[in-house]
Amino acid sequence: MYPNQVNYLSMRHTISPVALLICAGAATLSAQKPSGFAATDSAAAARAAWSRAGNALRQNDLAGARKEVDRAAAAWPTQQTYPWTSAVLASRANDTTAVISALRRLASIGLGRDIASDTGIARLASRPEIAKLRAILDANRAPLARSRRAAELPDSSFWPEGMDVDASTGRIYVASIRFGTIAEFTPGGGVREILARRGPNIGSLFGVRFNPRTGMLWATAVGSPNAEGHQPADSLIAALLEIRPSDAKIMRRFDLPPAPGGHTLGDLAIGPNGDVFVTDSNEPVFYQLRPNGTQLEPLRHPLFHNLQGMAPSPDGRTVIVADYSHGLLRVDLQTGTVARLADAPGSTSLGCDGIAWHADGIVAVQNGVTPPRVMLFKIDKSQTRITAATVLDRNIAIADEPTIGAVHGNDFLYVANGQWDKHADDGTVLKGAKLVPPLILSVPIRP
């Protein structure tokens, strides 16, 4: 998900690291007391150093900016923006040794960047050590197209976000940011929209999930300015909807009370016992609605920073939650405890959006790295660490903005081309941007 509330480290692919730094320096981060959780404190220290680097750069203090970016990279080494920016600033200072060190750190977490995209680094590309690193970085970002087309919507302005699949019928459901409706694909190729477009008090629909126990759809409604016909009063919309797909009747609606910073109810998940889980990426809060429950039960935790997708375990005891800034987290539903899964060597779990549970591990749409990709994260039985990270799909030509997906047998279906990067904050199409029909891709989970 690319809501406006995503912080400046969301690694939007069209923004240069220097521009990101200048934007960061324009905002002041207040001092944060230690939380007692290493991941939270390390990430907070990194963000604070990044902000100071931005301030230094605004004052033309290159040495000060480099020092703070290096501090950020040391505090939170799996965030790809930090080593890349270290390399960019080091090239400005003609510090070839530091450029090599920073690029080596970037390569060590399995990510890549185009060296030619920065003129300062590009002029050093002929040096043997940088040439070797360039080959590694290029391999890390090279296309790996294992997916096939599963469905396509004819309306290029639909603006897809969440999706799910009914395993028993093969029907695919896709939520619309722009029109606040849900498209249903049938295996025969038919398409219908379940809700009327621009329905009252709906706004944008971000997440959608099918409950196989009841045959109902669940969706999250958000008062996003990206919805067509948005009015200022719509900004208060933050609701979980239960929808009967046969006649589009909203069976139940759970509205959140207004919050000072607003809500962004993004993805949701259905547990094996019928629980509905929802994340608010803006506050951030993890919500649970028990079967036949009457209210959303909130869970807050210092590890929550920018919550995204969820993957309930088959035994119903835990939920793996993707936090854009902190990685994959394990929520114990019995105790309410939260812990971060340690990354596998040579990888990063930051920047994951939609995720799903599979027998082989957690399948994740990782759109917060460059380029975006679909990953398989194998986890140990104790759910304390990721043991291996494998790229399943990096279909760059058509999956430029993947968002959310769902497991269907041994395949993973996902939205390939969300449209956040093609719209301004008010929902208007950016100059020069070209909208194409929304596409659902299917990729085998077993490499």
Side-chain angles (χ1 to χ4, degrees):
M1 177 176 61
Y2 284 139
N4 299 332
Q5 290 85 353
V6 171
N7 61 48
Y8 57 81
L9 291 181
S10 62
M11 295 165 283
R12 302 294 287 271
H13 312 308
T14 58
I15 301 178
S16 72
V18 173
L20 279 172
L21 266 179
I22 293 174
C23 291
T28 301
L29 293 180
S30 58
Q32 180 175 316
K33 295 181 180 179
S35 68
F37 294 87
T40 301
D41 295 338
S42 294
R47 285 190 289 269
W50 177 265
S51 182
R52 293 194 299 269
N55 287 328
L57 203 60
R58 287 165 63 87
Q59 298 168 17
N60 296 317
D61 180 6
L62 178 59
R66 289 185 61 197
K67 183 177 181 179
E68 295 297 344
V69 170
D70 288 344
R71 283 178 175 172
W76 203 228
T78 57
Q79 165 58 266
Q80 73 164 17
T81 301
Y82 300 145
W84 175 247
T85 307
S86 291
V88 170
L89 296 184
S91 72
R92 289 189 172 190
N94 297 313
D95 189 343
T96 305
T97 300
V99 171
I100 293 172
S101 177
L103 293 180
R104 187 179 291 123
R105 293 198 304 270
L106 179 61
S108 73
I109 54 176
L111 298 177
R113 292 293 289 258
D114 182 6
I115 284 180
S117 66
D118 180 80
T119 55
I121 300 177
R123 62 182 173 80
L124 304 173
S126 61
R127 305 210 174 193
E129 187 61 30
I130 292 182
K132 292 178 183 178
L133 286 168
R134 181 177 191 173
I136 297 172
L137 294 171
D138 285 348
N140 286 348
R141 67 185 185 89
L144 180 65
R146 300 178 63 247
S147 53
R148 60 174 179 82
R149 293 172 182 258
E152 183 175 316
L153 268 173
D155 186 354
S156 61
S157 65
F158 187 83
W159 196 335
E161 176 63 13
M163 66 83 62
D164 202 9
V165 59
D166 176 0
S168 64
T169 65
R171 285 184 169 88
I172 298 171
Y173 300 95
V174 182
S176 171
I177 295 290
R178 186 66 173 162
F179 301 119
T181 187
I182 299 171
E184 178 191 69
F185 297 87
T186 61
V191 182
R192 72 174 178 122
E193 292 185 4
I194 291 175
L195 294 174
R197 293 189 173 193
R198 300 174 294 277
N201 203 25
I202 295 294
S204 296
L205 291 187
F206 276 58
V208 61
R209 294 292 174 182
F210 178 79
N211 187 343
R213 296 164 63 95
T214 64
M216 298 292 178
L217 289 172
W218 288 90
T220 51
V222 178
S224 167
N226 301 295
E228 187 174 73
H230 175 80
Q231 301 296 320
D234 295 339
S235 300
L236 298 178
I237 298 173
L240 173 66
L241 312 177
E242 183 183 30
I243 305 165
R244 187 165 60 196
S246 60
D247 59 3
K249 182 178 180 180
I250 297 177
M251 307 300 292
R252 289 190 288 171
R253 179 179 177 126
F254 301 85
D255 287 278
L256 292 181
H263 298 283
T264 302
L265 299 183
D267 204 358
L268 67 157
I270 310 295
N273 301 320
D275 302 79
V276 182
F277 305 103
V278 184
T279 52
D280 183 340
S281 61
N282 198 43
E283 275 206 287
V285 180
F286 171 90
Y287 290 100
Q288 179 180 5
L289 175 66
R290 301 180 191 273
N292 300 316
T294 59
Q295 61 182 358
L296 296 173
E297 302 174 27
L299 175 65
R300 294 172 172 83
H301 195 275
L303 278 169
F304 296 166
H305 188 263
N306 195 315
L307 300 178
Q308 302 294 329
M310 293 153 289
S313 64
D315 61 13
R317 295 181 179 179
T318 60
V319 179
I320 303 300
V321 182
D323 188 286
Y324 219 60
S325 302
H326 291 163
L328 297 183
L329 313 176
R330 184 188 74 255
V331 176
D332 189 311
L333 297 176
Q334 296 176 325
T335 64
T337 57
V338 181
R340 182 180 186 272
L341 274 63
D343 286 318
S347 71
T348 178
S349 61
L350 303 188
C352 290
D353 194 347
I355 65 173
W357 190 286
H358 184 264
D360 290 348
I362 300 298
V363 188
V365 175
Q366 195 174 27
N367 55 25
V369 298
T370 305
R373 59 195 186 177
V374 175
M375 297 292 295
L376 174 64
F377 294 106
K378 293 189 176 182
I379 58 176
D380 66 347
K381 292 183 179 180
S382 65
Q383 297 179 24
T384 58
R385 63 189 181 91
I386 302 168
T387 59
T390 303
V391 179
L392 296 180
D393 204 33
R394 198 161 48 215
N395 201 340
I396 302 167
I398 54 178
D400 62 334
E401 281 189 78
T403 57
I404 294 174
V407 169
H408 185 38
N410 285 316
D411 292 334
F412 182 71
L413 279 64
Y414 70 96
V415 174
N417 51 343
Q419 298 171 342
W420 291 101
D421 277 358
K422 298 174 180 64
H423 289 86
D425 290 344
D426 62 358
T428 58
V429 179
L430 294 172
K431 184 179 180 180
K434 181 180 179 181
L435 302 182
V436 296
L439 182 65
I440 305 298
L441 295 182
S442 176
V443 60
I445 294 174
R446 293 194 169 100

